[in-house]
Amino acid sequence: MNVMAKAEKKISSAFIYFFGSFGGILFGYDIGVMTGALPFLQADWHLENAASLVGWITSAVMFGAIFGGALAGQLSDKFGRRKMILMSAIVFMVFSVLSGVSPDMGEASAYYLIIVRMLLGLAVGAASALVPAYMSEMAPAKARGRLSGLNQTMIVSGMLLSYVVDFLLKDLPGEWAWRLMLGLAAVPALILFLGVLRLPESPRFLLRKGDEAQARKVLSYIRKNPAEIDQELASIKETAKEERQANQKTSWSTLFSGKYRYLVIAGVGVAAFQQFQGANAIFYYIPLIVQKATGQAASSNLMWPIVQGVILVVGSLVYMWIADKFNRRTLLMVGGAVMGLSFILPAVINWMMPNMNPMTIVVFLCIYVAFYSFTWAPLTWVLVGEIFPLTIRGRASGLASSFNWIGSWLVGLIFPIMTASMPQEAVFAIFGIICILGVLFVKTCVPETRGHTLEEIEEQGTNHGRVKASNPEN
């Protein structure tokens, strides 16, 4: 026992935070890897004119993630965050390999890959739910903002890693290229599994199971003094008690009662708009977008995803620098306005100057990605984490996450179908209008959360409900 205690004591807080957030790498890698694999897969399986199948293959992961996040949240309350992250890594490894060895059976191959990627999506959705939960339960309160930024940086780093892997493998024979791109996703999953084997369970889960001694030991790895540990243990106990009482008092109908409706609409709306604004259309399909704009083969345009990935990583670092210097609403409205114009202006320019340089649209897409990377990408989840009162937080956060995944899935599914039936500039103009609607939504429906306590934010919702009740015509 003493030997084991000494071995556990060697776990540094840096190791815990690094591997605690490493699941973001998996999430990001699988978002990005199909970007490079798809042109080779299309050519190998002759899917160039099968827009709906291409959409389903690309978006199947996000469809599975809708259910993976919900399942993981419930199972982690029973089995623990650590065990479920390990299980997610195993599922990710298995179905990444199965994606890479997809049999060549004509059109049936596409349906096989769709099903496998849906099952892979269970692990992606689980990682997206479990990693932030584990990190928030391990991190000290004063570091949670920076560590939420670390999770975002891990996600976009995973995307950049997948883009680099795609680029390095692009000169292999077509079949080998896409198979290795998809199959190599098992490598970061294996790294995550080996790293998490050494991680402790979260102290909050341990306390819920009545193991206060082990919870205290885990906190001793990541807190500096016994007084801080005692204070945090007491705080966790009190919060757990409040949550149990809240869960007993609430139902799904509670979310839409007068007191909470305003805050639920705000949080869920921001989560939905983040995806329906079309960011994933760029992340999934940028080589095909460049191909359609320039006529160059998509497989020769794999440098552009790397450019997007670098912009995303730099943007995530910019966010960590400015996060507490500007209001949430200000950043969302400025970011959304520039994103909307970046989508709309190419259509306007093309209408006024039909001989527009085809690369103009790609330049504007880079501007979109830059502003998305330090506004809507990270701030959506910061705001969702702050805006819901404790009484409804579990159900409301799950609802916001579900709408976000549904949006991600639909954008990935319908984008190739839309571009097959209308000009590319028109498709992006539609997303641009949605961006502008998102700005109006933030302006009229979302309260400011920066610098406000959770109680103050809840009071804003309560007061808004009273105003609506006294002015029903509004």
Side-chain angles (χ1 to χ4, degrees), residues 338-349:
V338 175
M339 288 155 54
L341 290 174
S342 299
F343 275 161
I344 293 171
L345 285 177
V348 174
I349 295 171

Side-chain angles (χ1 to χ4, degrees), residues 31-40 42 58 162-163 166-167 170 181 280-308 359 361-362 365 415 419 424 428:
I31 288 176
V33 69
M34 188 54 78
T35 303
L38 194 57
F40 298 98
Q42 278 185 301
T58 304
S162 72
Y163 297 150
D166 289 349
F167 183 80
K170 68 182 177 64
M181 290 172 186
N280 279 348
I282 303 173
F283 303 148
Y284 297 148
Y285 298 111
I286 185 65
L288 300 180
I289 292 168
V290 177
Q291 174 181 288
K292 192 155 188 175
T294 65
Q296 300 172 354
S299 57
S300 66
N301 289 315
L302 296 190
M303 181 58 73
W304 281 106
I306 295 178
V307 172
Q308 308 286 353
M359 289 305 293
I361 190 172
V362 181
L365 293 185
F415 181 78
T419 55
Q424 205 162 232
F428 284 120

Side-chain angles (χ1 to χ4, degrees), residues 403-437:
F403 270 83
N404 188 264
W405 281 118
I406 290 169
S408 178
W409 165 58
L410 285 174
V411 168
L413 176 64
I414 67 174
F415 181 78
I417 299 172
M418 293 173 71
T419 55
S421 59
M422 66 178 76
Q424 205 162 232
E425 293 83 0
V427 176
F428 284 120
I430 293 171
F431 286 129
I433 293 169
I434 295 173
C435 290
I436 301 303
L437 292 175

Side-chain angles (χ1 to χ4, degrees), residues 197-258:
L197 279 177
R198 290 196 63 208
L199 292 188
E201 184 53 85
S202 86
R204 181 168 180 166
F205 176 78
L206 292 169
L207 273 179
R208 287 184 61 181
K209 295 300 180 183
D211 195 348
E212 183 170 341
Q214 187 64 23
R216 182 180 295 275
K217 182 185 291 187
V218 172
L219 284 174
S220 72
Y221 305 155
I222 50 181
R223 302 295 184 264
K224 292 182 178 179
N225 57 68
E228 186 180 2
I229 293 172
D230 290 337
Q231 182 179 358
E232 184 153 355
L233 283 171
S235 176
I236 292 172
K237 289 178 183 177
E238 182 61 27
T239 301
K241 179 181 177 182
E242 291 175 1
E243 287 184 342
R244 281 195 301 271
Q245 293 172 345
N247 289 333
Q248 292 170 0
K249 296 177 183 177
T250 61
S251 63
W252 284 105
S253 62
T254 309
L255 301 185
F256 302 100
S257 65

